[in-house]
């Protein structure tokens, strides 16, 4: 069965420092997609970054990068030069790619707090 | 502006009542989804629809119903059969690889 694990319930980071949010996944499917979403206190889920299982290079979007280690089934999110506005819940998610049922499963989330 | 809208933002319901949550998108996405989020938890899939007039149960469909009569709209009804409906409900729509979310509806049962 597919599963997403986020082992850090909460993290505190000093402003301007880089931060890594951990995510491991479990799947027996060769084709899948990995996502990170940000959820501020308003509740809306904001798409940050996507990595396909066959992508050769790690995905990057501005200050966000995904450290994809396929053999270790790891998809950590790296935020460079953290800002106060980065304080939010962060969810790692996985989609089974290629099936007719495009379902996404979510991890339990990590609450990131940026200190000024 | 293109996007996903959900209404209302807050909803209160008495026990035993059915209530319908609205979700509309103008992104021309074929697929739409409903998720439930409990405090301190991730999202769990309730129902999803890949195309108009078709939908499938997700992981926690009991006590919920949906319809997909138009591409733009995917309303969710929380029925009296749902034993613990107080939660935050998020609607999403998407293309092949990404889902985009609405602002959510917070439902409280009194």
């Amino acid at each position: 069965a597919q599963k997403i694990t986020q082992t850090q319930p909460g993290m505190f980071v000093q402003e301007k420092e880089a931060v890594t949010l951990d995510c491991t996944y479990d799947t027996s499917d060769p084709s899948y997609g990995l996502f990170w979403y940000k959820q501020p206190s308003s509740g809306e889920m904001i798409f940050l970054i996507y990595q396909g299982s066959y992508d050769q290079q790690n995905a990057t979007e501005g200050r966000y990068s995904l450290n994809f280690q396929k053999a270790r089934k790891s998809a950590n999110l790296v935020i460079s030069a953290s800002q106060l506005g980065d304080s939010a819940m962060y969810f790692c998610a996985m989609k089974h790619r290629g099936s007719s049922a495009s379902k996404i499963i979510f991890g339990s989330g990590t609450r990131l707090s940026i200190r000024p | 502006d293109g996007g996903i809208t959900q209404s209302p933002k807050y909803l209160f319901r008495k026990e035993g009542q059915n209530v319908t949550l609205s979700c509309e998108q103008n992104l021309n996405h074929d697929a739409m989804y409903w998720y439930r989020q409990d405090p301190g938890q991730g999202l769990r899939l309730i129902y999803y629809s890949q195309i108009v007039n078709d939908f499938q149960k997700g992981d926690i469909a009991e006590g919920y119903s949906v319809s997909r009569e138009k591409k733009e709209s995917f309303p969710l009804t929380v029925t009296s059969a749902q034993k613990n409906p107080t939660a935050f409900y998020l609607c999403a729509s998407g293309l092949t690889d990404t889902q985009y979310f609405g602002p959510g509806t917070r439902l409280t049962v009194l």
Side-chain angles (χ1 to χ4, degrees):
Chain A
Q2 296 180 327
K3 185 178 179 182
I4 291 283
T5 301
Q6 293 180 254
T7 58
Q8 305 155 308
M11 288 185 70
F12 288 89
V13 173
Q14 203 67 33
E15 189 180 9
K16 299 182 184 177
E17 288 183 351
V19 57
T20 298
L21 305 181
D22 295 340
C23 173
T24 58
Y25 60 92
D26 189 17
T27 182
S28 56
D29 299 317
S31 181
Y32 51 90
L34 296 158
F35 305 81
W36 278 92
Y37 286 88
K38 173 184 179 181
Q39 187 179 40
S41 57
S42 61
E44 186 170 358
M45 295 286 282
I46 302 167
F47 167 73
L48 295 178
I49 197 166
Y50 170 81
Q51 178 88 39
S53 59
Y54 292 122
D55 293 342
Q56 294 296 315
Q57 294 192 332
N58 287 346
T60 60
E61 290 286 349
R63 293 186 300 114
Y64 304 107
S65 61
L66 198 152
N67 185 2
F68 182 44
Q69 298 188 42
K70 195 170 183 177
R72 301 175 68 176
K73 295 189 174 179
S74 168
N76 297 343
L77 177 70
V78 180
I79 306 174
S80 63
S82 59
Q83 303 170 357
L84 295 178
D86 293 333
S87 294
M89 283 289 289
Y90 288 81
F91 291 95
C92 181
M94 177 170 64
K95 174 182 173 290
H96 175 198
R97 199 173 179 185
S99 76
S100 61
S102 55
K103 296 195 294 183
I104 292 181
I105 58 170
F106 287 81
S108 56
T110 295
R111 181 171 297 282
L112 177 64
S113 299
I114 308 298
R115 292 194 183 109
Chain B
D1 285 350
I4 303 170
T5 57
Q6 291 186 242
S7 61
K9 188 172 182 179
Y10 298 96
L11 188 57
F12 297 89
R13 189 195 92 174
K14 293 182 180 179
E15 282 192 28
Q17 286 182 338
N18 291 356
V19 64
T20 297
L21 282 59
S22 169
C23 177
E24 305 277 332
Q25 56 100 0
N26 60 5
L27 300 169
N28 201 33
H29 291 161
D30 286 318
M32 296 186 74
Y33 310 82
W34 273 106
Y35 293 91
R36 169 183 172 137
Q37 186 179 30
D38 292 287
Q41 307 280 324
L43 279 63
R44 292 184 291 168
L45 182 64
I46 304 172
Y47 267 98
Y48 62 102
S49 169
Q50 300 286 95
I51 197 168
V52 174
N53 292 323
D54 186 50
F55 49 83
Q56 285 81 41
K57 293 181 178 180
D59 301 317
I60 55 165
E62 186 175 350
Y64 300 97
S65 65
V66 294
S67 63
R68 187 83 188 278
E69 297 176 2
K70 298 187 300 181
K71 188 175 185 178
E72 300 80 16
S73 178
F74 191 40
L76 173 75
T77 297
V78 184
T79 75
S80 56
Q82 169 51 234
K83 297 306 178 189
N84 186 20
T86 294
F88 187 54
Y89 291 86
L90 284 156
C91 176
S93 70
L95 302 172
T96 306
D97 287 329
T98 307
Q99 291 184 11
Y100 297 93
F101 286 81
T105 292
R106 195 167 298 278
L107 172 64
T108 303
V109 174
L110 303 172

